[in-house]
């Protein structure tokens, strides 16, 4: 089962334009093709079987239109193309109906631009076939000017215009396709970003808790023979901490978790003091609410790192309106292990317009996070 945040991201990126494009185009063609085809059949039919032959071309055009797809070519296209081509030949040679080209003038131009290769050749071949098939009327009719106009020039010109317009439309569909693919990739990247954020937050919560539990359990083990009450108190705190972590994990899964810098600051002080580490907090200004949550994450991750990787005796936390600085001693001169949590936080802080930096010098480690471009509240009110 997906976490609620992931389902939300997928829902945001699930609806695309292809379904709407398909419905709009099919509806337009279905509305136009039957009445126009019926009118042409009525005009050109002199017997009932003339009407049947000409109607087959209209039906072929309608079936091809109904099965139109914005992304590929339906399997019914080839049969519809053959039927409409035969109807056009029959119209020229037998029926004496120049409107018999109607079916092929719909089926051919609709699908020629959708070929993966040789689109231009297909378009030229289609137009040439309409012209040649119409010219076969000269085999049975001596009226050359009328045949050239009604069976060659008019059908060929209309087919060429329709084909050109469909090619222009295909450019639009291709563009929409590229936009749709970009939108899908954006959706996938959004899900990946949320998974990384989720994993980072889960690391913050459970990694932090496990190290604190380890610290307090070790302390309780030392006190169990000398100070039973203090040991019991440490174990009660461990129990409460585990319960709180379970609650935070549930809130994280349902996208309800929000870190509070003041609570994280109090938690960090208690942890450092329990570990025998002196802590000093300097407040230069009240922290802006817009930076509160990310700075809380930085403080929590840094607290965990100090407890895990340093033999600190002193920690100093300095708060400003738009930043936090945490410096601790007790850092070995050897290269530090990779701090993946801070690396992930650096990206998140940068994504919000801030900067997270770390410095290791003279046995001390300095972690600084700041949002230098955070607008002033006075400026916002103007």
């Amino acid at each position: 089962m997906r976490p609620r945040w992931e389902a939300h991201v997928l829902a945001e990126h699930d609806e695309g334009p292809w379904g709407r494009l398909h419905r709009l185009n099919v509806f337009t063609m279905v509305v136009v093709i039957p009445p126009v085809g019926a009118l042409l059949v009525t005009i050109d039919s002199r017997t009932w079987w003339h009407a049947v032959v000409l109607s087959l071309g209209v039906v072929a055009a309608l079936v091809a239109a109904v099965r139109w797809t914005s992304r590929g070519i339906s399997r019914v296209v080839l049969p519809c193309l053959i039927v409409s081509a035969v109807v056009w030949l029959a119209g020229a040679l037998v029926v004496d109906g120049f409107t018999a080209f109607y079916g092929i003038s719909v089926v051919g131009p609709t699908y020629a631009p959708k070929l993966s290769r040789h689109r231009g050749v297909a378009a030229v071949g289609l137009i040439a076939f309409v012209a040649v098939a119409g010219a076969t009327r000269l085999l049975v009719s001596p009226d050359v000017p009328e045949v050239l106009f009604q069976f060659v020039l008019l059908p060929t010109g209309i087919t060429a215009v329709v084909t050109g317009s469909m090619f222009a439309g295909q450019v639009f569909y291709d563009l929409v396709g590229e936009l749709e693919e970009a939108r899908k990739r954006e959706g996938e990247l959004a899900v990946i970003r949320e998974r990384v954020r989720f994993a980072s937050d889960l690391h913050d919560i459970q990694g932090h808790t496990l190290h604190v539990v380890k610290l307090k359990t070790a302390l309780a083990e030392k006190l169990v023979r000398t100070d039973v009450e203090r040991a019991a108190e440490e174990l009660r705190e461990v129990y409460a901490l585990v319960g709180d972590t379970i609650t935070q994990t549930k809130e994280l899964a349902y996208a309800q978790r929000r870190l509070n810098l003041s609570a994280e600051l109090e938690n960090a002080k208690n942890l450092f003091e329990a570990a025998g580490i002196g802590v000093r907090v300097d407040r230069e200004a009240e922290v802006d609410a817009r930076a509160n949550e990310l700075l809380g994450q930085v403080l929590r991750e840094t607290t965990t790192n100090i407890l895990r990787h340093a033999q600190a005796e002193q920690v100093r936390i300095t708060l400003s309106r738009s930043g936090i600085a945490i410096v601790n001693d007790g850092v070995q001169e050897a290269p530090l292990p990779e701090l993946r949590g801070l690396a992930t936080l650096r990206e998140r802080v940068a994504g919000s317009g801030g900067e997270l930096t770390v410095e290791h010098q003279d046995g001390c480690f300095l972690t600084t996070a700041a949002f230098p471009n955070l607008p002033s509240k006075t400026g916002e009110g103007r």
Side-chain angles (χ1 to χ4, degrees):
M1 183 176 180
R2 290 189 179 99
R4 183 168 297 177
W5 59 260
E6 185 169 334
H8 176 68
V9 170
L10 289 174
E12 282 185 345
H13 295 272
D14 188 51
E15 179 65 21
W18 287 111
R20 294 190 295 273
L21 264 178
H22 177 266
R23 290 192 296 270
L24 176 62
N25 281 277
V26 170
F27 175 78
T28 302
M29 289 188 283
V30 168
V31 166
V32 172
I33 289 173
V36 173
L39 177 63
L40 295 177
V41 169
T42 302
I43 292 173
D44 233 7
S45 298
R46 284 175 291 280
T47 65
W48 65 268
W49 66 271
H50 287 178
V52 172
V53 172
L54 296 176
S55 295
L56 288 176
V58 177
V59 171
L62 183 60
V63 171
V66 170
R67 297 298 299 274
W68 181 88
T69 168
S70 54
R71 299 196 190 193
I73 297 179
S74 172
R75 288 177 293 181
V76 304
V77 172
L78 184 58
C80 290
L81 193 61
I82 293 173
V83 169
S84 59
V86 171
V87 168
W88 175 221
L89 282 170
L93 292 172
V94 181
V95 177
D96 188 18
F98 73 94
T99 62
F101 76 93
Y102 178 66
I104 196 167
S105 71
V106 173
V107 180
T110 300
Y111 284 94
K114 302 181 72 59
L115 295 173
S116 58
R117 296 183 301 172
H118 310 305
R119 295 180 181 182
V121 174
V124 172
L126 171 67
I127 296 169
F129 171 79
V130 172
V132 171
T136 60
R137 182 63 186 170
L138 292 171
L139 299 175
V140 295
S141 173
D143 193 347
V144 175
E146 182 180 355
V147 169
L148 289 178
F149 177 74
Q150 290 187 342
F151 286 86
V152 179
L153 295 179
L154 186 62
T156 303
I158 292 176
T159 303
V161 170
V162 174
T163 303
S165 65
M166 294 303 292
F167 266 87
Q170 188 62 40
V171 173
F172 168 74
Y173 296 134
D174 290 343
L175 177 60
V176 172
E178 292 176 5
L179 292 175
E180 174 71 358
E181 290 302 318
R183 187 191 66 82
K184 285 185 176 180
R185 287 193 293 270
E186 180 185 350
E188 293 169 358
L189 287 174
V191 171
I192 292 172
R193 285 194 296 268
E194 284 301 305
R195 284 175 176 168
V196 171
R197 183 197 63 79
F198 184 86
S200 175
D201 285 350
L202 191 61
H203 169 269
D204 288 347
I205 293 172
Q206 298 191 348
H208 179 82
T209 299
L210 289 173
H211 288 294
V212 174
V213 167
K214 178 182 177 182
L215 175 68
K216 287 186 170 293
T217 303
L219 180 60
E221 185 180 13
K222 293 178 181 179
L223 295 172
V224 72
R225 293 182 180 84
T226 58
D227 191 342
V228 177
E229 284 299 320
R230 175 72 187 281
E233 178 63 26
E234 292 295 332
L235 291 176
R236 282 192 292 270
E237 289 184 10
V238 168
Y239 181 83
L241 182 62
V242 171
D244 182 58
T245 301
I246 293 173
T247 301
Q248 290 188 55
T249 303
K250 289 181 179 179
E251 291 175 350
L252 175 63
Y254 288 94
Q256 297 173 342
R257 176 175 177 258
R258 292 291 183 271
L259 283 183
N260 182 282
L261 179 58
S262 297
E264 291 302 319
L265 184 62
E266 189 64 28
N267 181 60
K269 288 170 61 179
N270 292 337
L271 290 174
F272 288 141
E273 289 171 356
I277 301 172
V279 58
R280 174 181 171 182
V281 179
D282 295 330
R283 292 180 179 268
E284 297 178 352
E286 191 67 27
V287 176
D288 193 291
R290 290 163 292 184
N292 191 290
E293 184 174 349
L294 272 177
L295 295 182
Q297 292 177 6
V298 172
L299 177 57
R300 169 172 283 209
E301 180 64 26
T302 304
T303 300
T304 302
N305 288 338
I306 293 172
L307 294 174
R308 286 184 64 187
H309 303 299
Q311 303 297 321
E313 296 183 0
Q314 293 291 328
V315 175
R316 181 176 178 179
I317 303 170
T318 304
L319 299 173
S320 63
R321 190 185 74 87
S322 58
I324 188 171
I326 306 118
V327 61
N328 64 277
D329 59 7
V331 180
Q332 299 177 359
E333 292 301 326
L336 290 175
E338 183 181 2
L339 303 177
R340 295 182 180 178
L342 283 180
T344 302
L345 269 177
R346 179 182 288 112
E347 295 178 3
R348 296 176 66 178
V349 170
S352 298
E355 183 180 12
L356 189 152
T357 59
V358 293
E359 296 180 19
H360 176 207
Q361 187 176 5
D362 298 331
C364 293
F365 196 85
L366 172 65
T367 304
T368 305
F371 294 85
N373 298 322
L374 195 66
S376 66
K377 295 181 179 180
T378 304
E380 286 182 330
R382 292 177 182 174

